[in-house]
Amino acid sequence: MKTLVIIPTFNEAENISQLIDKVLKQDFNIDILVIDDNSPDGTGKIVAEISTNNRRVHLIEREGKLGLGSAYITGFKYALTKDYEMIVEMDGDFSHNPENLKDMLIAIGDYDVVIGSRYIYGVSVVYWPFRRLLLSYFASLYVRIITGMKIYDPTAGFIAYRRGVLKTIDLNHIMSDGYSFQVEMKYRLWLKKFRIKEIPIIFTDRTRGQSKMSKKIVHEAIWMVWKLKFLAITKKL
Ligand SMILES: Nc1nc2c(ncn2[C@@H]2O[C@H](COP(=O)(O)OP(=O)(O)O)[C@@H](O)[C@H]2O)c(=O)[nH]1
Ligand SMILES: [Mg+2]
């Protein structure tokens, strides 16, 4: 299945070239699209060089830090202009193990959406500070209770979509950007009754570079869940 793996980057110079190598090795049908937001550390230059020598690697450089959600939307739109049958989103910091891509490729044969999940069988997160893990775990409970979605890891960012699934979403009307972007996408797909499969992954905290998580992203997520729920009840989502 022809696959595009979308990797948003902001200051991932220490990770990106190794990550690209590992992802490409998983399957010869995989191409990569990096969406870089003019990283001050030169991530974009590194990827530009790789992409001139390798037709499987593509780069979209944006002028500044425009946010993770909008980076994915840019990537989804790009994928839909080409002939990719499966579209994957993945972080650029090795928190998501490229080897899981193989399982996702297999699972998408029977499902519309495959989520690499941290919380199916208890918790499979390595090296995260305890505070961060608690925040993420309770956020997933909070989202599940309010929305009623039976998804154990609603803020997960390692996801494979069939092309047809993304085509049903109006990408210009996604409201959220950070963690709630992940929630909003899943909720929209859940409401459309797509076949969603969670497969267990081990999420490992980055060893290089820095997290871009901020309080603002967390706050956005807290109230956005209610907004999404309200829109769903009033059939506006
Ligand atoms: N293009 C782009 N990528 C971003 C932005 N913010 C974060 N990223 C990337 O999104 C991925 C996840 O971000 P990260 O900082 O690891 O968040 P965390 O895993 O929640 O701590 C990484 O590959 C980041 O480089 C952004 O504003 N624009
Ligand atoms: Mg990370």
Side-chain angles (χ1 to χ4, degrees):
M1 211 186 269
K2 205 171 168 216
T3 300
L4 184 68
V5 174
I6 301 169
I7 306 175
T9 56
F10 191 76
N11 287 347
E12 302 292 358
E14 293 174 278
N15 292 309
I16 197 65
S17 49
Q18 276 173 288
L19 183 64
I20 288 174
D21 270 357
K22 287 231 165 100
V23 169
L24 292 179
K25 272 191 198 131
Q26 302 306 314
D27 194 294
F28 60 85
N29 278 313
I30 292 180
D31 284 358
I32 294 175
L33 171 65
V34 174
I35 312 281
D36 184 66
D37 280 359
N38 201 6
S39 298
D41 74 351
T43 307
K45 285 196 197 76
I46 297 171
V47 180
E49 201 167 311
I50 298 172
S51 71
T52 52
N53 299 316
N54 190 335
R55 291 151 137 257
R56 294 171 65 194
V57 180
H58 309 273
L59 169 68
I60 295 179
E61 266 286 14
R62 304 195 300 175
E63 68 271 27
K65 194 170 185 313
L66 298 173
L68 191 52
S70 79
Y72 281 125
I73 288 169
T74 302
F76 294 158
K77 287 181 177 170
Y78 174 93
L80 293 177
T81 66
K82 312 279 174 187
D83 58 352
Y84 295 104
E85 294 161 85
M86 175 164 115
I87 294 120
V88 179
E89 46 166 274
M90 169 177 197
D91 286 357
D93 60 355
F94 278 106
S95 288
H96 300 143
N97 184 343
E99 290 184 8
N100 293 134
L101 286 166
K102 285 184 193 149
D103 303 327
M104 292 176 125
L105 272 161
I106 293 169
I108 202 86
D110 298 319
Y111 292 90
D112 300 313
V113 182
V114 177
I115 301 171
S117 177
R118 297 164 288 189
Y119 306 125
I120 305 181
Y121 306 118
V123 173
S124 54
V125 174
V126 185
Y127 299 138
W128 245 5
F130 191 60
R131 271 187 52 199
R132 180 103 206 247
L133 178 60
L134 272 186
L135 175 70
S136 170
Y137 188 76
F138 282 103
S140 67
L141 277 179
Y142 175 83
V143 171
R144 255 189 6 240
I145 291 166
I146 295 167
T147 62
M149 276 196 287
K150 290 196 179 56
I151 293 177
Y152 288 97
D153 194 350
T155 60
F158 196 11
I159 302 161
Y161 306 90
R162 272 175 186 272
R163 176 189 189 85
V165 169
L166 287 184
K167 274 169 78 177
T168 69
I169 300 281
D170 184 353
L171 295 170
N172 293 323
H173 284 94
I174 301 287
M175 298 170 290
S176 18
D177 196 44
Y179 288 122
S180 47
F181 173 81
Q182 304 297 358
V183 174
E184 180 172 347
M185 284 296 292
K186 290 180 191 72
Y187 197 31
R188 286 177 185 268
L189 300 175
W190 171 265
L191 293 170
K192 287 178 190 283
K193 303 202 165 31
F194 281 114
R195 297 165 304 164
I196 301 173
K197 171 74 173 173
E198 281 184 275
I199 62 168
I201 60 154
I202 294 174
F203 179 100
T204 314
D205 195 18
R206 60 164 75 241
T207 52
R208 297 195 178 130
Q210 267 163 21
S211 169
K212 283 108 221 163
M213 216 243 325
S214 66
K215 282 213 175 90
K216 189 172 144 233
I217 288 175
V218 177
H219 290 156
E220 181 201 15
I222 290 170
W223 67 263
M224 186 59 86
V225 180
W226 289 103
K227 182 166 177 186
L228 291 169
K229 173 76 182 180
F230 176 76
L231 290 173
I233 292 171
T234 54
K235 305 241 182 287
K236 289 192 185 119
L237 200 64

